[in-house]
Structure formats: structure tokens, C-alpha cells
Amino acid sequence: MSRPAIYLKKGRESSIQRFHPWIFSGAIAQKRGAPAEGAVVDVYASDGTCVATGHYQEGSIAVRILSFSGPGLPNDFWMEGLRKAYALRERLGLCLGRNAPTTAYRLVHGEGDHLPGLVVDYYQGVAVVQAHSAGMFLARAEIVHALKELYGNDLLAVYDKSAGTAPYKAGLDLQDGYLYKSDAYNQTDVHTIREHGHPYVADWEQGQKTGFFLDQRENRLLLGQMARGARVLNLFCYSGGFSVAALSGGAALVHSVDSSQRAIDLLHQNMALQTLPAHDHEAHTADAFEFLKSSPKGMYNLMVLDPPAFAKHTGAKKSALQAYKRLNAVAMDRIAPGGTIFTFSCSQVVDKTDFALAVFSAAAISGRRVRILHRLGQAPDHPVNIYHPEGDYLKGLVLYVE
Ligand code: SAH
């Protein structure tokens, strides 16, 4: 059976020549062979040359490109894709085994690993797969097969966490669950990972995203280095990664706030795992804005603001920028003189410049003198394809407020 094909309008192959990994529906002149949701399709330029092979999907992003040298995918496509992704994490020093200080990393970061639509996080033996496209959802069996071959005995299980991310309109049978469990899986500490020597629970079954926010790994390390003696407010704390980093860095007190009770429960589990110096920690299930507004001025001199994506699509960008501005303005108003704020945005549609402008406006509103100490981003196991700058989603600033 021949593969369905997509024919591009004249001149629309130029983005492919620049390795952009998406083809938008507006670039398509015609479709042959009635491609189904998630089907592998060959893409032809108007002169009839095959320029790519990818996953087809109904919608504005019509093809997510897997190979720029179609037609078809090589037999070892999945194995090679994962091998290359693994080699990069090895280079980053992240694949040092179960006794290493860090035992969890992102193995596949979608477009950043030339596998658009696929995320794989590796949690000390358990791979959590998340499909963001119909094609990746349908390729799960091949992906599991390649993961088993890649890791051998170091793979205890593969969990599918796609129900919330794969396109529901594609009519797929979306249900989270295990795709593979090895005989060695049933050990009790299977959910515990380590990051920079600190143990954490990664809860891929009940937790948010794939279970743990690996993208903040290096930023947590930096916070720990700046926390000695500090009075810390960790807003939008989830399972308390920044709180653990601050306490182990010698913070005098840490108050952690999240609106999700499940997140706070996880945070308590994480605190119980640590061996920390004597400390003062409180966790609050509360709205971060409200908590911040009602906190006494000068109570904290180190704050973390790591809200969820305020804008999930371009239409919501303006209100998201307003929200970043408001949040940062209140934080700058409350923080003690000489305090430090770690402020983040993980909205893909808000770029670095937009975010810096929102923070600048916040500083102006607060009337404080503010300096930028660090510009932060996502950890390097979340690489950004240079031809796909949209992948540069996590932005952070470390601010010194006089
Ligand atoms: N800093 C965390 C990740 C934060 S993710 C880490 O390092 O792991 C964003 C968190 O914000 C989620 O846990 C979500 O439950 C929480 N959240 C969303 N809206 C909130 C609100 N209005 N007030 C407090 N927490 C909120």
C-alpha cells in the first residue's frame, strides 16, 4: 500500500529547506490518498520532488516533519532518533546510572530532538511518554520497542501520559496507563528520583505534566546557591523543588504555596525524604496572588514566581502579559530591600522580550530600583531546535530589588 501524499503550493517548500519542522495547512495544494489523522505522509514540492516525510494531522499544523529525506522513514528511524537523543543527554552528563546525583532527565523534547509531538521523560528507570500529536500517539508501540532496546535492563517500565495532550478530536482511544512493565518493576521506591543529590517523588500517574518539572533543574541549583540565611516565599511551588533547593542551601525559612492540594501532598512527601539542617518550613494550599497580596511587606527577601502558562495560545497573550505584570508588581512591592526574585514564564507564545517588558512595567509600577542578575531558561535536556525558536518556552529573570 502506498503512503498518502501531500503536494505543496509553489514556493512553499522554502521553510522545509530551512528545516522548519511544521507544514501549515495553508501551504498545501492537494492531498492524495486521503491521509487519516496521524498517518505517515510524504511531502512533495510543486516540482514533484519529495522534500519530507511526517505525521499528518487535521488542523493548522498539518504535517509534523520526521525526516527531511523522504519518501518514507528508514527502518531504524525510531531507534536512531532515540539513540541520538540519548547521546546528547550522555554528553550533558545526565546518564550516569542509578547512583548518580541526578537520575531523571528529559530524553526526548519534541522538535528539539527532531521528533515533533513527542516528549519522553526518564525517571530513574521509568520512561514516561507523552504524545502531543496523533501520529506520535499511534507510534507508541514502535517507541516502546526502541526504548526497550536503548535501555535494556535499565528500563523498568514505560508509562503513557498522553490522555491530556494528544488531540482528542482525532478520535483516539486516550487513556493513561503502563505500556510496559519489566519483572523488576515491582520495587517500592520506583517513584523516587534524585536531582543534584536531593531525592524527590516523581508522580507520573497522578501528578501534573509527566510528574516532575525537570526543566527547572539548573534554576533550582542556582536558587540553592543564593538561599543561605534567606526568608523564602515559593509561589506556585508544585511538589516543592525550589523549596527543597532553598532549604538545603541554608534558607532560614521557606513558605511554599500552591492552589492544588495534590501538589502540597507531594511536597510533604518530598520534604519527608530529605535530610535537611534544622529549618522552618510551611506549606499553604492557597491562591498565590492572594497569599502574596496579604503577606506583610518585607517578610521575605527571596521569592520564586513560577506560575503555570498564563497563555496557551496567541489569543490569550495580552491578558497573560497583564497577569505577569500584576504578579511581578506585587512581588516587587512586598519583597524586603535587597531582596531577590526568581521570576518565570513558561508560556510558549510569550517570548523573552515580551516577558522582560512585562517585568520592566512591573518594576516601574512598584517604584523600586531593580537590577537583572541572571537570565534563565530551560535545562539543556530540553534543547531548542534553532529552526524552531518556538521551542524556547521557559524564560526566567533573577532580579535584585533595592
Ligand atoms: N515550580 C514548580 C512548578 C510549578 S508548575 C516546580 O519547580 O516543580 C505551576 C504550579 O502552579 C502548579 O503546581 C499549579 O497547581 C499551581 N497553580 C496554578 N494556579 C495557581 C494559583 N492561582 N495559585 C497557586 N498555585 C497555582
Side-chain angles (χ1 to χ4, degrees):
M1 200 184 72
S2 70
R3 268 181 309 279
I6 299 285
Y7 289 81
L8 298 178
K9 291 178 184 161
K10 196 163 184 318
R12 299 303 284 268
E13 66 280 7
S14 60
S15 73
I16 298 178
Q17 284 154 354
R18 288 194 303 272
F19 299 112
H20 194 279
W22 297 342
I23 292 171
F24 291 98
S25 55
I28 296 176
Q30 58 167 309
K31 299 175 216 170
R32 296 234 177 110
E37 289 270 4
V40 174
V41 293
D42 294 324
V43 179
Y44 292 87
S46 58
D47 68 359
T49 32
C50 183
V51 285
T53 297
H55 281 146
Y56 177 78
Q57 195 167 306
E58 298 288 337
S60 123
I61 304 172
V63 183
R64 289 169 171 82
I65 296 176
L66 303 169
S67 159
F68 289 95
S69 61
L73 298 174
N75 287 336
D76 60 353
F77 174 80
W78 295 102
M79 197 56 226
E80 267 311 289
L82 293 194
R83 235 197 276 282
K84 279 187 186 157
Y86 185 82
L88 174 54
R89 276 70 189 173
E90 255 186 327
R91 173 54 51 90
L92 293 170
L94 289 168
C95 308
L96 298 174
R98 297 177 71 78
N99 298 320
T102 296
T103 59
Y105 54 85
R106 177 153 292 192
L107 173 70
V108 177
H109 185 58
E111 285 78 0
D113 283 288
H114 310 313
L115 293 167
L118 179 66
V119 163
V120 182
D121 284 342
Y122 181 81
Y123 293 116
Q124 199 175 306
V126 177
V128 180
V129 171
Q130 196 167 59
H132 292 255
S133 68
M136 285 301 179
F137 186 81
L138 297 175
R140 289 170 309 154
E142 286 148 294
I143 294 163
V144 171
H145 183 78
L147 282 167
K148 279 157 87 172
E149 214 162 301
L150 178 71
Y151 284 109
N153 290 337
D154 290 339
L155 189 68
L156 300 176
V158 181
Y159 188 78
D160 177 24
K161 191 75 192 276
S162 306
T165 56
Y168 67 93
K169 282 187 195 153
L172 307 162
D173 179 21
L174 299 176
Q175 223 168 13
D176 291 340
Y178 286 90
L179 301 173
Y180 167 71
K181 273 186 188 177
S182 77
D183 296 339
Y185 175 77
N186 287 328
Q187 45 178 346
T188 49
D189 71 338
V190 75
H191 281 273
T192 310
I193 56 144
R194 251 186 333 277
E195 177 186 277
H196 294 308
H198 306 302
Y200 292 98
V201 171
D203 184 359
W204 46 84
E205 288 160 4
Q206 312 283 328
Q208 300 182 24
K209 299 286 169 83
T210 66
F212 193 70
F213 288 87
L214 297 164
D215 52 358
Q216 290 283 22
R217 182 191 310 111
E218 305 312 317
N219 303 331
R220 287 193 273 259
L221 187 67
L222 179 66
L223 181 93
Q225 289 161 359
M226 294 177 72
R228 184 151 303 281
R231 304 184 305 278
V232 182
L233 177 60
N234 180 10
L235 294 178
F236 310 93
C237 64
Y238 184 51
S239 62
F242 281 108
S243 305
V244 168
L247 288 170
S248 56
L253 73 83
V254 175
H255 292 171
S256 307
V257 181
D258 201 286
S259 57
S260 149
Q261 184 59 46
R262 176 78 204 144
I264 297 295
D265 292 345
L266 278 171
L267 175 145
H268 285 304
Q269 286 183 44
N270 282 333
M271 286 295 161
L273 290 175
Q274 313 301 320
T275 39
L276 291 167
H279 65 270
D280 180 355
H281 178 254
E282 280 175 22
H284 297 267
T285 310
D287 178 80
F289 278 96
E290 296 306 318
F291 192 93
L292 180 62
K293 272 195 260 172
S294 58
S295 72
K297 261 191 184 195
M299 165 124 186
Y300 305 104
N301 59 3
L302 180 52
M303 289 185 186
V304 181
L305 315 176
D306 185 22
F310 283 152
K312 296 226 160 81
H313 50 88
T314 36
K317 185 167 153 179
K318 208 169 148 204
S319 64
L321 289 172
Q322 285 297 330
Y324 288 121
K325 187 167 86 180
R326 270 204 322 274
L327 176 65
N328 282 278
V330 183
M332 288 174 195
D333 177 64
R334 297 288 125 146
I335 197 151
T340 310
I341 302 177
F342 279 59
T343 182
F344 296 98
S345 160
C346 61
S347 305
Q348 191 157 349
V349 297
V350 171
D351 70 18
K352 268 193 194 83
T353 319
D354 297 329
F355 182 58
L357 257 171
V359 174
F360 164 80
S361 309
I365 293 168
S366 75
R368 309 272 299 260
R369 299 189 75 177
V370 178
R371 284 182 269 171
I372 298 174
L373 306 181
H374 293 275
R375 293 170 183 82
L376 306 177
Q378 62 226 39
D381 48 338
H382 299 62
V384 182
N385 181 342
I386 212 155
Y387 304 108
H388 180 256
E390 298 93 323
D392 205 359
Y393 69 99
L394 184 64
K395 299 144 296 275
L397 293 170
V398 181
L399 307 170
Y400 185 75
V401 185
E402 287 180 38

